[in-house]
Amino acid sequence: MSRVLLLAKKEVLQLLRDKRMLPLLFIAPIIQLIMFGYVVQTEVKHIGVIVADSDRSVESQIIADKLTNAGYFEIIKRVDGEQKVAACIRSGEATIGLIIPKGFQDNIKSGQTAELMLVVDGSDATTGMQAQQYALGVIAARSQEIVSQRLDSMKAITAKVSSVEPRIRVWYNPDLKSVNYMVPGLIGMILTLIITILTSMAIVKERERGTLEQLIVTPIERWELILGKILPFIVIAFVEIALILGVGVFWFKVPFRGNIFLLLALCIAFLFTIVGLGLLASTMSRTQHQAQMTAWFLNMPAVMLSGFIFPIENMPKVIQLVTYVVPLRYFLVIVRGIFLKGVGLEALWEQVLMLSILGLLIFSISIFRFQKRFAD
Amino acid sequence: MKNIKPIMKKEFIHILRDPRTLAITLFLPLFQLIMFGYALSFDINHIPAAVYDSDRTAASRTLADNFSSSGYFDIQIRSSKMDFVQKLDAGEIKVAIIIPKGFEKKLLVGDKAKVQVLVDGSDPNFARVGVGYSSMIINRFSSKVMSESLYKKGIVIKQGIPPINPNSRVWYNPELRSVNYIVPGLIALIMMTVTTINISVALVREKERGTLENIIISPVRSWELVIGKIIPYVIIAFLEAVLITAIGTLWFNVPMNGSLLLLFFSLIIYLAGTLSIGLLISAATESQQVASLSSFLVSFLPAFLLSGFVFPIKSMPIVLQLITYLVPARYFLVIIRGIFLKGVGIDVLWPSLLALIVFGAFMMLAASLRLRRSLA
């Protein structure tokens, strides 16, 4: 065991030889946390609107006011003709154009259907789609208002009309704060990105420099070598977990409803899978450059296909099958469940089981390959 | 000037000597584009949900049918066991619709019937859409019930319903296909990460191996070294970019409405800039591990988060909005989406192109200056 510690000490010394390593290890997660915490708003705000109002009436003014009051839109320009709308959207100044034709108010007053036109810039589909939904919602609400005003005028007859009332309640994250969703996920993401890259390069470094031979001729056992190599990264990982948890809970005020010990225990299970992935990348590489690119190759799907940002439910069936071998997928459900829902093993056992199986599999394959390469 | 050619040649030999890394750099982007082009989308239309129908009448069944035929939900109908808490906890369903006993009876006597909807808010994106769709479906059902009940009383509403009818038109991407805006964005993201990460070890590797001394004693100037190192990578990266652009248009059918020439020209400038960042990192670090971690930090994260790739810049806090001006992917994204989807030319895109040129020139200068220090 003392040999393991010696090896781990050597690894740490080597790791910290570049003075930038230590700050990088701890600044990197903080920067990521802050970026994700503040940037990832799934709600789109300040959408630029250009209003072409040919009616210039009270009704057209109400619609424009309701758009701005909803908080999503900013009216950039008010113009007369429709022509200017096109130019404004083409240059990207405005995302949507609202065109209110002449006679808009007269149509409403006379009980007819008044038309108006929305032009949406679809080239940025996220903003475009949300802008369209918001705008249609605002207009529908105004429409509904007019209907109920009309119904009010014949109140006497409509006293007893059956209707259905939706009672909608949002659980776990009632304010729908994105940061509550992102921060727990970030624990998994940051660990995946940093630990796989570092582990994969650590072993190849010895091979590249020719010092692996020296290690082989020492009386060290193989399991000791592997353990000594990965031990520093496990420690680093736990410090980072503590850091993210601290900033998340105290700075971003993310509610932590579950059991912290359960979370830490499952973090260990997750760490084994990603350290295993790093080892696997290192057994497939001869140079650090290769190891880094291979780790990157394994990492991108881990981010994109884990459900961290892009929902798995919407992926095509074939790709959904691929996501089953992405360890982060299970860990995300676990960490979000413990954080936001406060659930325990009774709800998460399937995820835990899958994660453990996958971790064991990845770890044994990498050890097996490592042994083989070691023997060469 | 004459020194540039041998450096280029040496770098090419280096690259070609490691065919595996070359293969990874060439095919990784291809693979990523195809995979993510399919996988990533924001169209949420398979929300896992369950209807708990305790009423089991014609009316409750119609409402449940409205949910399953809406196309937004993957609905399970469960009439007996009220296990929605467990299902929400485990994340098996994201929306539970609960129709209470006596639902139909209330509608028959002209009362208000209530339907409870529970939404898992931990993923705000899903939750918002889930809330929106379920209230829409219930409201629509309700207005049908209302007009039927009014009709029974002999009242027919003749006035224009709805009073306001918005005609919505989407430009540039009429079906709001996610892939049309994801693919150009992916090209920008993938190219940025692959180039920066790939070149970031180019110099530091020589430092680790001690071959940098050879260069120091040679009469090569730092800017010659920068250009000589970058050109081979620009050529490789450009080939990749052409390849994935072709895949984007031919495979994913993303419309290419603008000038290909302008796209390629901006691409070369973009790549020269991102590669210079990588080289700057390489000059400033002492170990490949640090170089690789930092290049990840300055390439992938900003290009993913701060470029407007998925998260609209306008919704970010003002400080972060200012930082986005330092992210080259931000400008390139405007250019590539403009050319692909809007078909706009240099008359609209010149500010972004100018920004890219300034950025590239600045980064190259910074890399040469930093390199001069390392060489001294």
Side-chain angles (χ1 to χ4, degrees), chain A residues 87-243:
Chain A
C88 204
I89 290 183
R90 196 174 129 93
S91 71
E93 248 183 293
T95 306
I96 62 170
L98 175 69
I99 301 169
I100 304 175
K102 231 180 161 50
F104 179 72
Q105 177 165 280
D106 292 343
N107 279 338
I108 292 177
K109 288 268 142 70
S110 62
Q112 279 169 300
T113 297
E115 307 276 335
L116 57 75
M117 170 100 84
L118 267 183
V119 181
V120 183
D121 177 358
S123 66
D124 178 355
T126 343
T127 315
M129 207 163 11
Q130 288 209 33
Q132 187 186 23
Q133 274 174 8
Y134 290 149
L136 289 179
V138 169
I139 295 166
R142 175 64 194 147
S143 203
Q144 196 59 48
E145 234 174 57
I146 297 172
V147 171
S148 51
Q149 279 167 11
R150 286 180 188 166
L151 274 177
D152 270 352
S153 60
M154 31 186 195
K155 211 174 198 164
I157 347 170
T158 57
K160 228 173 163 15
V161 177
S162 40
S163 64
V164 181
E165 186 190 349
R167 288 257 170 123
I168 299 179
R169 268 197 292 169
V170 176
W171 278 5
Y172 312 125
N173 181 15
D175 307 325
L176 294 179
K177 277 160 86 180
S178 306
V179 73
N180 289 354
Y181 185 62
M182 290 321 295
V183 168
L186 265 179
I187 296 177
M189 197 171 79
I190 292 176
L191 290 183
T192 308
L193 294 175
I194 294 182
I195 302 299
T196 37
I197 291 183
L198 285 181
T199 328
S200 69
M201 292 174 89
I203 288 168
V204 183
K205 189 170 62 191
E206 309 268 358
R207 193 196 302 278
E208 197 180 58
R209 291 188 182 161
T211 48
L212 197 60
E213 281 80 7
Q214 292 172 14
L215 282 176
I216 296 176
V217 294
T218 59
I220 196 163
E221 300 277 340
R222 270 158 214 186
W223 66 266
E224 289 177 318
L225 176 62
I226 294 177
L227 199 61
K229 276 275 171 189
I230 64 176
L231 202 61
F233 299 110
I234 303 267
V235 175
I236 291 173
F238 266 93
V239 177
E240 304 209 320
I241 291 171
L243 209 62

Side-chain angles (χ1 to χ4, degrees), chain B residues 15-136:
Chain B
I15 294 170
L16 293 176
R17 197 192 285 160
D18 186 354
R20 236 203 43 198
T21 308
L22 184 64
I24 294 182
T25 38
L26 274 178
F27 294 107
L28 180 66
L30 215 66
F31 172 78
Q32 287 181 341
L33 184 74
I34 292 180
M35 184 121 179
F36 301 145
Y38 277 114
L40 309 188
S41 101
F42 280 109
D43 320 336
I44 295 179
N45 42 23
H46 288 286
I47 305 171
V51 175
Y52 291 87
D53 181 1
S54 305
D55 198 38
R56 280 188 256 176
T57 54
S60 70
R61 246 171 260 135
T62 314
L63 181 58
D65 282 347
N66 285 353
F67 268 93
S68 39
S69 61
S70 68
Y72 304 125
F73 298 94
D74 285 346
I75 289 272
Q76 333 165 3
I77 307 264
R78 311 178 70 84
S79 39
S80 49
K81 246 171 91 194
M82 300 299 261
D83 54 355
F84 51 86
V85 179
Q86 290 97 299
K87 295 256 175 199
L88 281 168
D89 272 352
E92 274 173 58
I93 58 169
K94 298 229 157 99
V95 177
I97 300 120
I98 301 152
I99 307 177
K101 239 183 157 55
F103 176 76
E104 192 183 51
K105 213 175 260 168
K106 279 196 173 156
L107 291 184
L108 287 176
V109 299
D111 243 347
K112 236 184 203 152
K114 279 166 193 149
V115 175
Q116 188 160 44
V117 180
L118 297 175
V119 181
D120 174 354
S122 54
D123 180 347
N125 216 9
F126 251 100
R128 215 168 280 132
V129 177
V131 168
Y133 285 148
S134 41
S135 66
M136 189 184 81

